[in-house]
Amino acid sequence: MAVTPFFSLRNLVLNKCNNFLLPGSSRDKCYKFLLDGYFVGFIHPMFLDWLLKYANVFVKTSHPQHGDHCITVHQALINVNDRSNAVAEVMQDLRATSPFKALKGWRNEDYGVYIHNREKVLLRIERSASSLLGITRYGVHVNGFSLNRYNYSKKSDRIVNGSSHNSNDSNSLAQIDPDNVFMWLGLRSINKPTSPGMLDNMAAGGLTYGLDVMECARKECQEEASVPEHMLGKLTLVNQISYIFEDERGVCPQIEYCFDLELPPDFIPVSSDGEVDSFRLASISEMLH
């Protein structure tokens, strides 16, 4: 049987994006991380002894219902600010003294640790340190595309001519010939701490603490692709995906909010924050082959 792109994508999802769920992973060896009695993360065993050296911050406990061995924060750290400051001091110290690769990508940008569908925050933590506690990280991914019919030059990777398509057409995106749907792909900067030099959505980024999902998506469109404000009216949240993997950084549960953004045919994205080296335009059919 020929290996189709969909078959390859399925293997990628199973073998990499969700490798924490496969036999042979560290899943059964990890300690659960609890905050206020809520399960919020997986701590890989390679971090355990290092964290427990800070006995005024991290302590062993048992799950209140199942009796499993868990890690939580010291009982004196009763509010978000106190525990966030204490955890930040630990991570800064580990950044200077430990060999952990995750902390080499320090960005001075906080993520939130949430419960109740992100309605309540229990902790703030620097994003690169989040994998040491295996907490869920949230992000946005924006598919910048056009439904216009183009004559497309593969040689120049640029639009050379176009004719209009009614964006109010009753046809759904799935019903349109994939040769006539074009997406902007960004080539990640070679200086990015994760996946440098690889193709990505037109705009994407982690959900910084203090921003809501739509604010974050709009910010990434403006910073990574210079999409002007008046073009963001069609930015639409279409789905979310979740997966959990482990690598040398630790355990990484992810939830990605996926957006579609229809763009006019004469728009060409330009990076304004240096996180994207270049952009190219590709038809859906080209990406699937």
Side-chain angles (χ1 to χ4, degrees), residues 112-123:
V113 180
Y114 302 97
I115 56 173
H116 304 325
N117 196 28
R118 293 184 46 251
E119 291 182 0
K120 182 178 181 180
V121 64
L122 301 180
L123 176 72

Side-chain angles (χ1 to χ4, degrees), residues 104-235:
K104 307 304 180 186
W106 197 273
R107 306 190 192 189
N108 292 314
E109 178 184 351
D110 282 351
Y111 280 171
V113 180
Y114 302 97
I115 56 173
H116 304 325
N117 196 28
R118 293 184 46 251
E119 291 182 0
K120 182 178 181 180
V121 64
L122 301 180
L123 176 72
R124 299 186 310 274
I125 185 169
E126 203 282 332
R127 63 180 292 173
S128 68
S130 62
S131 56
L132 271 68
L133 303 182
I135 61 100
T136 298
R137 305 185 296 189
Y138 300 85
V140 299
H141 281 260
V142 180
N143 301 310
F145 69 94
S146 176
L147 300 184
N148 292 353
R149 269 65 170 175
Y150 297 123
N151 293 321
Y152 178 68
S153 168
K154 291 185 178 180
K155 181 177 180 181
S156 65
D157 280 346
R158 294 286 298 277
I159 303 166
V160 295
N161 193 15
S163 59
S164 65
H165 168 79
N166 184 358
S167 62
N168 294 319
D169 196 311
S170 60
N171 288 338
S172 70
L173 188 59
Q175 293 173 308
I176 298 174
D177 186 337
D179 285 329
N180 295 324
V181 181
F182 289 81
M183 287 185 62
W184 283 106
L185 304 177
L187 185 68
R188 294 169 65 88
S189 169
I190 199 66
N191 297 317
K192 291 278 286 184
T194 54
S195 304
M198 300 188 72
L199 289 174
D200 204 346
N201 302 74
M202 182 189 74
L207 183 58
T208 304
Y209 177 76
L211 292 181
D212 66 30
V213 173
M214 181 60 76
E215 286 175 331
C216 183
R218 295 175 75 93
K219 178 179 76 73
E220 295 297 339
C221 285
Q222 292 171 326
E223 292 179 354
E224 294 193 355
S226 300
V227 180
E229 183 70 28
H230 71 272
M231 290 186 187
L232 293 174
K234 291 185 177 181
L235 185 64

Side-chain angles (χ1 to χ4, degrees), residues 5-288:
F6 298 103
F7 184 82
S8 300
L9 180 59
R10 179 176 180 272
N11 281 347
L12 173 65
V13 170
L14 289 175
N15 296 325
K16 186 170 183 179
C17 292
N18 275 320
N19 66 1
F20 187 68
L21 305 180
L22 295 177
S25 76
S26 67
R27 184 180 182 184
D28 293 335
K29 300 176 183 178
C30 288
Y31 274 63
K32 291 182 178 179
F33 182 47
L34 302 182
L35 287 174
D36 293 344
Y38 292 96
F39 163 53
V40 294
F42 288 100
I43 297 179
H44 193 283
M46 65 179 167
F47 303 133
L48 189 62
D49 289 343
W50 287 81
L51 293 174
L52 291 177
K53 290 179 181 179
Y54 304 90
N56 60 333
V57 179
F58 292 104
V59 295
K60 284 187 177 181
T61 186
S62 297
H63 193 283
Q65 295 177 328
H66 310 298
D68 298 339
H69 294 301
C70 302
I71 301 296
T72 189
V73 294
H74 195 280
Q75 61 182 359
L77 304 172
I78 59 175
N79 62 55
V80 173
N81 284 336
D82 287 347
R83 64 177 56 147
S84 298
N85 291 336
V87 169
E89 289 182 8
V90 170
M91 296 304 171
Q92 284 281 16
D93 193 55
L94 289 176
R95 182 187 177 197
T97 61
S98 77
F100 302 139
K101 183 175 180 179
L103 299 178
K104 307 304 180 186
W106 197 273
R107 306 190 192 189
N108 292 314
E109 178 184 351
D110 282 351
Y111 280 171
V113 180
Y114 302 97
I115 56 173
H116 304 325
N117 196 28
R118 293 184 46 251
E119 291 182 0
K120 182 178 181 180
V121 64
L122 301 180
L123 176 72
R124 299 186 310 274
I125 185 169
E126 203 282 332
R127 63 180 292 173
S128 68
S130 62
S131 56
L132 271 68
L133 303 182
I135 61 100
T136 298
R137 305 185 296 189
Y138 300 85
V140 299
H141 281 260
V142 180
N143 301 310
F145 69 94
S146 176
L147 300 184
N148 292 353
R149 269 65 170 175
Y150 297 123
N151 293 321
Y152 178 68
S153 168
K154 291 185 178 180
K155 181 177 180 181
S156 65
D157 280 346
R158 294 286 298 277
I159 303 166
V160 295
N161 193 15
S163 59
S164 65
H165 168 79
N166 184 358
S167 62
N168 294 319
D169 196 311
S170 60
N171 288 338
S172 70
L173 188 59
Q175 293 173 308
I176 298 174
D177 186 337
D179 285 329
N180 295 324
V181 181
F182 289 81
M183 287 185 62
W184 283 106
L185 304 177
L187 185 68
R188 294 169 65 88
S189 169
I190 199 66
N191 297 317
K192 291 278 286 184
T194 54
S195 304
M198 300 188 72
L199 289 174
D200 204 346
N201 302 74
M202 182 189 74
L207 183 58
T208 304
Y209 177 76
L211 292 181
D212 66 30
V213 173
M214 181 60 76
E215 286 175 331
C216 183
R218 295 175 75 93
K219 178 179 76 73
E220 295 297 339
C221 285
Q222 292 171 326
E223 292 179 354
E224 294 193 355
S226 300
V227 180
E229 183 70 28
H230 71 272
M231 290 186 187
L232 293 174
K234 291 185 177 181
L235 185 64
T236 304
L237 178 62
V238 293
N239 211 333
Q240 69 182 56
I241 59 173
S242 61
Y243 52 97
I244 179 169
F245 67 94
E246 63 176 333
D247 59 17
E248 66 275 10
R249 294 171 295 173
V251 182
C252 304
Q254 304 273 158
I255 293 179
E256 306 288 358
Y257 296 95
C258 303
F259 289 79
D260 282 348
L261 176 61
E262 183 181 353
L263 295 163
D266 58 350
F267 173 75
I268 298 175
V270 176
S271 175
S272 63
D273 63 2
E275 294 196 6
V276 179
D277 278 345
S278 61
F279 291 91
R280 65 162 298 184
L281 192 64
S283 69
I284 298 296
S285 59
E286 181 183 356
M287 290 191 293
L288 292 177

